[in-house]
Amino acid sequence: MSQSEVHKDYPLMGTIGRASVVHFAGVTQWTYTGKQMNGIRQIQIHPKVAARAGIKNGDKIVVESPRGSITGTALLWKGIREDTIFVPNSFGPMQKMAEELGTPYYEPANVLLDDQFYDTLSGQQAYKCFACRVRKNQTYIMSV
C-alpha cells in the first residue's frame, strides 16, 4: 500500500506514550490502588473527530491500524490535534490486578505498530506512531 492509499482507510495519526508521569511504565497499575486509579485505558480523541464517528465521552471504542486493533474508552479532549489520537501504553496481558478489580484486560498497544516504518531523521523504527481509524466498539470483551 502506498502512503497515500493507507490514509484513505486510516485517516488519523495515532501516537503511543505514557498515560501519566505518575504511572511510570505501568507499574502503578499493577498495584491495588494504582489499578483503581488507572485501570481503564482512556484513548484521547478530539471531540469533532469523535462526533463524526458517533463516539461520545466514555464510549467503548476500537482503534484500528493496518496491522491490528486495540480497545479502550474514549476520552474526548479539545487539547489534542483533530487528526491525532493518543493511546496510552503499559496495558496488556500482564495486568494481573484486572482480574481482582474487574477492569478489562487490554491488548498491548504495540499491536498497532508496524516494523517497516522508520523515522526519516534518525533511521529508527517508528514505534510510537501509526495510521489509524476509530469506531465504537459493539463487543467490548477481550479474552486472555
Side-chain angles (χ1 to χ4, degrees):
M1 216 184 275
S2 74
Q3 285 186 338
S4 61
E5 289 176 3
V6 74
H7 294 294
K8 289 177 187 173
D9 292 329
Y10 302 94
L12 299 172
M13 176 57 67
T15 185
I16 295 173
R18 289 184 181 156
S20 168
V21 176
V22 177
H23 304 286
F24 289 112
V27 174
T28 306
Q29 69 177 336
W30 293 2
T31 67
Y32 187 81
T33 303
K35 192 62 158 178
Q36 287 177 310
M37 294 170 49
N38 198 28
I40 304 298
R41 176 191 275 157
Q42 294 185 323
I43 299 169
Q44 293 175 352
I45 182 171
H46 194 279
K48 288 182 183 178
V49 174
R52 287 194 298 268
I55 295 169
K56 294 183 176 140
N57 196 49
D59 279 352
K60 308 308 180 204
I61 63 173
V62 176
V63 177
E64 299 171 312
S65 78
R67 183 169 180 238
S69 64
I70 57 105
T71 56
T73 300
L75 176 63
L76 277 54
W77 184 48
K78 291 180 183 178
I80 196 165
R81 291 174 48 132
E82 287 184 39
D83 64 348
T84 304
I85 64 159
F86 175 77
V87 177
N89 62 7
S90 302
F91 288 90
M94 294 301 293
Q95 301 165 255
K96 300 303 181 192
M97 293 298 293
E99 184 176 328
E100 181 179 332
L101 295 172
T103 57
Y105 281 100
Y106 294 102
E107 312 81 1
N110 285 345
V111 302
L112 299 167
L113 307 175
D114 194 325
D115 290 343
Q116 70 177 329
F117 297 108
Y118 292 83
D119 179 281
T120 55
L121 295 176
S122 69
Q124 296 179 6
Q125 288 166 314
Y127 282 139
K128 294 196 179 234
C129 59
F130 51 93
C132 66
R133 62 187 175 211
V134 296
R135 64 176 169 81
K136 279 180 97 166
N137 187 357
Q138 304 304 324
T139 57
Y140 189 66
I141 299 170
M142 178 192 166
S143 59
V144 180

